[in-house]
Amino acid sequence: MPVGALQRHFLNLLDVSADDLRQMIKRGIELKQLRRSGVAHESLPHKTLAMIFEKSSTRTRVSFEAGMAQLGGSAIFLTSDMMQLGRGEPIEDTARVISSMVDIVMIRTHDHSKIERFAEYSKVPVINGLTDLSHPCQLLADMQTYLEERGDISGKIVTWIGDGNNMCNSYMEAAYQFDFQLKIACPEGYEPQAELLKKTGSHCEIVRDPEVAAKGSDLVVTDTWVSMGQEGEKSGRQAIFADYKVTPQVMEQAASDALFMHCLPAYRGMEVDENVLEGPQSAVWNEAENRLHAQKALLEYLLVD
Ligand code: CP
Ligand code: NVA
C-alpha cells in the first residue's frame, strides 16, 4: 500500500510553496554563516540519509554526505549496480525496505517516473538529486547565490542559453516561484518540457537568439550540451549547439552587473568560454559551494518539525 502521498517530498520546486523556498534559501545563508564562524550546528543527530546514484556525481554526493555529517547525522552512498535494484529488484520493494531503515532518501536517476514511484512507496521524505526531467537542489543553491551576491531576484531577467534540459526545466519552475522572467535561447527541437512551459508561461518565453535573449539580463545561465545518458549523441549535439555558447559577446548584451552561473561540470570552449567561466561575472564557485548550505537547509526543512 503506497504511503508516500502522506510524506513531504522534494521532487520539484513546484512541490513546495514559494514562501517555504524563500525561507530555505535564507536558512542556507544562516547555516553558511554558522559554518564560517566555526559554530557546530547538529540539528539532525542520529538521522540517516540513504543516497542512491544511477548517474555520476561530484557536487551532489559530497554536499549531501558532508552536510549530513555537519548536522550530526550520517549518509549511506549507494549505486544501483551495487544494489539488488541493479539486478531487477522492483523500485517499489526497494523503497519500502530502505525507507523502513533510514530517515530520508536522495535519488539521482534517469527517468523521473522512477523517483515518483519510489516516493509513492516511501515512508520517509524523498529528495530529487537530479533526473532527466529536473534538478531542483541545484536551483536552491543558485537562488541562494543570487540573493547573496545581488539581492532579491524577483522582477529580474534571467537568460538560459543552450539545451532545454533538466536544469532549464528547473529554472522555469524557479522563475514561477521566485517571480523572475526567464528568456530561453535554445535550438528548435531542444525546447524545455512543453507542459511546464504552459504552466509557467507567465514567467518564461523562448527567444531563440542567445544575444537577443541576453539583452539587459541580470543573470545568464547555461549547462552542458550533452547531459548524462546522452553520450551517444555527443558529436551531433556539438554541431547543433555550436551557436548556443556563453561568450564575452553574449555577456556584453547583459546588464553590466549581470552574473554568470553554471551548475557544473563545465566544458570550456563548448557551452561556455573559459574567459566567462573564470571571469569577474562568474559566480560558479560560490554557486557550487552553496549546494552544501542550501541542501542542509532542505534536510532540516524535511526532517525537523
Ligand atoms: N551540479 C551537479 O549536480 O553536479 P554533480 O553532477 O557533480 O553532482
Ligand atoms: N544537465 C546535466 C546536469 C549535470 C549536473 C546532466 O543531466 O547531466
Side-chain angles (χ1 to χ4, degrees), residues 55 108 130-131 135 138 165-167 223-224 226-228 263-265:
K55 292 174 173 174
R108 168 168 285 196
L130 180 146
T131 65
H135 195 8
Q138 182 68 51
N165 63 10
N166 45 8
M167 275 297 299
D223 184 16
T224 180
V226 186
S227 284
M228 291 180 277
C263 65
L264 305 179

Side-chain angles (χ1 to χ4, degrees), residues 30 32 36 51 89 121 125 137 162 171 177 204 288 297:
E30 278 172 20
K32 184 175 187 173
R36 289 270 197 278
M51 306 186 292
E89 184 168 20
Y121 282 82
C137 290
Y171 256 96
Q177 294 281 49
C204 305

Side-chain angles (χ1 to χ4, degrees), residues 155-171:
K156 302 286 184 188
I157 300 172
V158 178
T159 303
W160 175 269
I161 295 178
D163 193 10
N165 63 10
N166 45 8
M167 275 297 299
C168 183
N169 287 331
S170 287
Y171 256 96

Side-chain angles (χ1 to χ4, degrees), residues 232-251:
E233 300 170 36
K234 190 171 173 180
S235 57
R237 281 180 164 266
Q238 285 178 348
I240 290 163
F241 284 98
D243 293 333
Y244 292 84
K245 202 182 272 253
V246 183
T247 58
Q249 293 70 34
V250 167
M251 290 306 292

Side-chain angles (χ1 to χ4, degrees), residues 43-59:
S43 53
L44 301 179
H46 315 300
K47 298 284 187 193
T48 305
L49 165 73
M51 306 186 292
I52 302 173
F53 284 92
E54 298 203 292
K55 292 174 173 174
S56 308
S57 171
T58 297
R59 281 144 287 267

